[in-house]
Amino acid sequence: WANGETHRGMKARLAAIVDELIPHTADRARRVATRYLESWSSRGDFPWLAEFNGFTTDLFCEVFTGREIPEATDLFTAVLYGVDPFRKQSFERQAVTREDNVEEGQRAKKTLCDHVIASRGEAGAAFDADLIVGAGGFAVIPALKNVLINLYAQLSSKPAIRQRVIEELRALPTPPTQEALKDQTPYLDACIYETIRLFPPVGHYYA
């Protein structure tokens, strides 16, 4: 999968799937994000380690299955450990074998793929669920996650800025298009770039 050409092909397929889903799922994704943001803001706390994986998982489930999957966080964790067994060993401080992790990860990935396929109805058989679940599994570890963690922390602690971002998103056409998200969200873009400037996502194992 690390081959450059193969990886570019996977990214192109994933981008096409996201483009197809955005008009139908943007409002649902926004509700999930707003729920978490309001919770963190009202508590004056941003427990990213305890809750951010739950947020990214809820977002994935809402967009790709249209419903909550209570066991999804544990399933994605198993997928991750199947790829990177040493992470499980270092996190849980116990002896593990790659074979155990791979087998558990494959079972978890199949369960998640079944959820995604079932949500697509008759079109499910032709949907690239394996690619989607693989991308979702890695969404909990790379540099992008570090950017999102810090962005949401900043927005949770700065109500005026958060409200301006919300208003900008609400002004998008319904359903929003990829072009609108790129061209009509300059304030959100500025917040993202400022977050990257303040908290560069470097030095991470997968960065």
Side-chain angles (χ1 to χ4, degrees):
W1 68 270
N3 173 274
E5 184 177 348
T6 301
H7 192 59
R8 283 191 293 272
M10 291 169 59
K11 289 176 66 176
R13 295 205 314 277
L14 183 60
I17 292 171
V18 171
D19 282 347
E20 173 196 343
L21 291 176
I22 277 179
H24 312 291
T25 61
D27 285 340
R28 300 204 307 264
R30 186 160 46 217
R31 284 197 294 271
V32 172
T34 300
R35 173 161 52 88
Y36 274 87
L37 278 172
E38 290 177 347
S39 172
W40 294 327
S41 179
S42 65
R43 286 154 40 192
D45 183 29
F46 184 66
W48 70 267
L49 184 61
E51 296 186 15
F52 200 81
N53 280 352
F55 164 65
T56 54
T57 301
D58 285 352
L59 202 57
F60 175 94
C61 292
E62 188 63 47
V63 169
F64 292 108
T65 72
R67 64 186 182 87
E68 291 185 8
I69 302 175
E71 70 275 19
T73 299
D74 291 338
L75 291 172
F76 272 123
T77 299
V79 172
L80 170 60
Y81 288 163
V83 175
D84 185 4
F86 304 106
R87 179 174 291 267
K88 181 173 184 178
Q89 186 172 358
S90 62
F91 278 2
E92 301 187 358
R93 300 182 184 280
Q94 63 181 18
V96 296
T97 66
R98 180 168 181 81
E99 290 73 20
D100 290 341
N101 285 336
V102 169
E103 183 178 351
E104 183 181 358
Q106 288 175 338
R107 288 197 302 268
K109 190 172 186 180
K110 182 181 183 307
T111 300
L112 287 165
C113 285
D114 289 345
H115 281 298
V116 172
I117 291 170
S119 71
R120 306 285 293 181
E122 294 181 358
F127 194 66
D128 199 341
D130 188 76
L131 173 64
I132 291 298
V133 171
F138 280 97
V140 301
I141 53 176
L144 175 59
K145 178 190 172 183
N146 293 345
V147 174
L148 290 175
I149 286 173
N150 289 309
L151 174 63
Y152 276 92
Q154 294 300 305
L155 292 178
S156 294
S157 62
K158 296 176 172 59
I161 294 177
R162 181 177 70 252
Q163 186 59 35
R164 186 169 169 183
V165 169
I166 291 173
E167 291 172 359
E168 185 176 69
L169 293 174
R170 285 176 175 166
L172 292 172
T174 303
T177 63
Q178 188 78 346
E179 290 73 19
L181 288 169
K182 290 179 180 178
D183 300 335
Q184 300 177 29
T185 55
Y187 193 74
L188 175 59
D189 286 348
C191 289
I192 293 172
Y193 286 129
E194 180 65 3
T195 299
I196 294 172
R197 185 188 71 82
L198 292 171
F199 308 100
V202 295
H204 192 271
Y205 181 77
Y206 285 92

